[in-house]
C-alpha cells in the first residue's frame, strides 16, 4: 500500500518505515559519536523487492533523512531518481554480504576509534569485560588487504566470516549484521562498549581475563534472557526518543 510519494513515485508503507528506521539509525550513530566524516555505511534490505537503502554519499550521518536515503540494487545502481550519489566502492562488501547471506537484513560498518584500535591489536577483542564476554568465540577476523573495494577479496571475507555475523576487520574496524536493524544496532553498541572498555583497561595495566567456564555461563544466561524479547528493539526505541530531542528532521 502506497502511503507516501517520493520523487514523484509512490513509496510503500513498508519502504517508508524502513527509510525512517534507517534514517533514525544514522542520526543515533552520530549522536553516539560513531560517524566518520561522510564515510561508512549502514544498509538495509527492502524485503518486498530485494532492493537496498544506503546513505547518500556526501552527507554527514547527522544530515541523513528518510527521503534522502538512496534505493539501490545489489550492484549499487540507483533505483529511485535520487539526486544524491552512492559511494559504490563502499557498497562493494555490503553487496557481497547482502547477496550471499539471506539473514543479513541490516549491515553496519564503522571506523570508531575503539573499534579500529581493538581491530588493530594482536589478539583482537579479549574476554576481559562484561560486554566482551558476550562476544567470546563469536567474532570473525579478516586481515587487512587495503581499502575494501576489490571484488576478489570477497571470497576470503565470506570464508573468514563463516557462520559468524560479527567481524573485526583487522586494522580497519567493526562489521556487524542483524536479522533486523535493532538487532544489528544492539550488537554494534555492545561491541563498541567492549572495545572502549578494553582500550581503557589495557591503558592501566594487566587485565583480569575471564575463565571460559564463566564465559559459558554468561552466554547461556544472556542468550536465554534474550530469547524472549526482540533483540535491541527497546534499546533502539529509547535512542530514537533521545535523537528526537535533538532534531526530528530525519523523519522527513
Ligand atoms: Zn571501512
Amino acid at each position: 500500500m502506497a502511503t507516501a510519494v517520493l520523487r514523484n513515485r509512490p513509496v510503500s508503507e513498508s519502504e517508508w518505515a524502513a527509510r525512517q528506521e534507517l534514517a533514525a539509525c544514522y542520526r543515533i550513530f552520530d549522536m553516539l559519536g560513531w560517524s566518520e566524516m561522510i564515510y561508512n555505511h549502514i544498509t538495509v534490505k527492502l524485503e518486498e523487492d530485494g532492493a537496498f537503502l544506503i546513505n547518500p554519499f556526501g552527507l554527514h550521518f547527522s544530515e541523513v533523512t528518510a527521503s534522502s536515503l538512496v534505493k539501490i540494487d545489489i550492484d549499487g545502481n540507483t533505483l529511485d531518481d535520487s539526486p544524491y550519489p552512492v559511494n559504490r566502492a563502499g557498497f562493494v562488501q555490503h553487496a557481497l554480504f547482502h547477496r550471499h547471506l539471506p539473514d543479513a537484513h541490516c549491515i553496519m560498518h564503522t571506523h570508531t576509534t575503539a573499534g579500529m584500535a581493538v581491530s588493530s591489536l594482536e589478539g583482537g577483542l579479549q574476554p576481559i569485560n562484561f560486554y566482551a564476554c558476550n562476544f567470546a568465540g563469536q567474532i570473525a577476523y579478516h586481515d587487512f588487504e587495503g581499502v575494501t573495494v576489490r571484488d576478489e577479496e570477497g571470497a576470503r571475507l565470506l570464508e573468514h566470516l563463516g557462520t559468524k555475523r560479527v567481524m573485526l576487520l583487522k586494522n580497519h574496524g567493526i562489521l556487524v549484521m542483524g536479522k533486523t536493524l535493532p538487532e544489528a544496532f544492539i550488537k554494534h553498541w555492545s561491541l563498541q562498549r567492549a572495545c572502549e572498555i578494553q582500550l581503557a583497561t589495557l591503558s592501566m595495566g594487566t587485565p583480569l581475563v575471564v575463565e571460559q567456564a564463566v564465559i559459558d555461563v554468561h552466554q547461556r544466561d544472556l542468550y536465554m534472557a534474550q530469547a524472549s524479547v526482540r533483540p535491541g528493539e527497546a534499546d533502539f526505541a529509547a535512542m530514537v526518543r533521545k535523537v528526537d530531542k535533538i532534531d526530528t528532521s530525519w523523519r522527513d
Side-chain angles (χ1 to χ4, degrees):
M1 185 174 68
T3 56
V5 174
L6 180 61
R7 296 185 270 279
N8 297 318
R9 290 190 188 189
V11 174
S12 70
E13 196 172 343
S14 65
E15 178 178 333
W16 189 250
R19 282 178 174 276
Q20 285 203 320
E21 186 177 58
L22 183 56
C25 189
Y26 277 105
R27 297 297 186 96
I28 291 165
F29 268 46
D30 183 57
M31 179 178 72
L32 295 173
W34 304 341
S35 53
E36 183 83 349
M37 289 296 288
I38 56 169
Y39 305 105
N40 296 171
H41 304 287
I42 310 164
T43 54
V44 296
K45 187 176 185 178
L46 294 171
E47 299 303 340
E48 65 188 76
D49 52 11
F52 304 86
L53 294 174
I54 189 168
N55 47 326
F57 190 44
L59 293 193
H60 191 261
F61 280 14
S62 65
E63 300 175 305
V64 172
T65 61
S67 57
S68 68
L69 288 166
V70 184
K71 186 172 176 177
I72 54 176
D73 67 16
I74 191 71
D75 297 312
N77 300 304
T78 303
L79 299 175
D80 66 354
D81 301 324
S82 170
Y84 298 101
V86 168
N87 182 0
R88 287 182 63 161
F91 186 62
V92 167
Q93 309 307 354
H94 284 241
L96 174 87
F97 296 123
H98 279 303
R99 192 190 297 276
H100 293 282
L101 309 171
D103 60 320
H105 166 79
C106 177
I107 302 178
M108 300 171 167
H109 169 56
T110 59
H111 289 183
T112 65
T113 300
M116 198 182 277
V118 171
S119 77
S120 306
L121 184 71
E122 188 71 46
L125 189 72
Q126 298 164 28
I128 56 173
N129 66 63
F130 183 101
Y131 295 118
C133 289
N134 298 7
F135 292 99
Q138 298 183 21
I139 297 184
Y141 290 88
H142 175 72
D143 286 341
F144 187 53
E145 300 186 16
V147 62
T148 45
V149 294
R150 287 160 291 101
D151 289 332
E152 47 89 24
E153 188 179 358
R156 290 186 292 281
L157 272 162
L158 285 172
E159 185 190 335
H160 294 154
L161 185 69
T163 58
K164 297 181 172 124
R165 292 297 178 263
V166 178
M167 180 176 253
L168 284 178
L169 296 158
K170 291 186 188 175
N171 311 101
H172 182 171
I174 291 175
L175 180 72
V176 300
M177 304 169 198
K179 295 186 180 74
T180 66
L181 184 148
E183 186 200 0
F185 170 73
I186 200 63
K187 276 194 214 175
H188 188 286
W189 182 83
S190 307
L191 183 56
Q192 171 68 13
R193 291 292 292 141
C195 291
E196 287 169 354
I197 296 160
Q198 176 166 317
L199 197 56
T201 308
L202 297 190
S203 75
M204 296 185 294
T206 307
L208 296 169
V209 177
V210 180
E211 290 173 25
Q212 187 59 48
V214 176
I215 292 170
D216 292 343
V217 169
H218 176 77
Q219 292 192 350
R220 181 198 67 198
D221 293 350
L222 183 72
Y223 296 122
M224 201 183 295
Q226 285 183 355
S228 59
V229 296
R230 287 181 290 191
E233 289 220 348
D235 311 77
F236 187 75
M239 291 299 99
V240 171
R241 294 193 295 275
K242 204 164 154 56
V243 88
D244 262 340
K245 288 176 185 161
I246 299 172
D247 158 18
T248 59
S249 62
W250 60 270
R251 291 179 173 276
D252 298 326

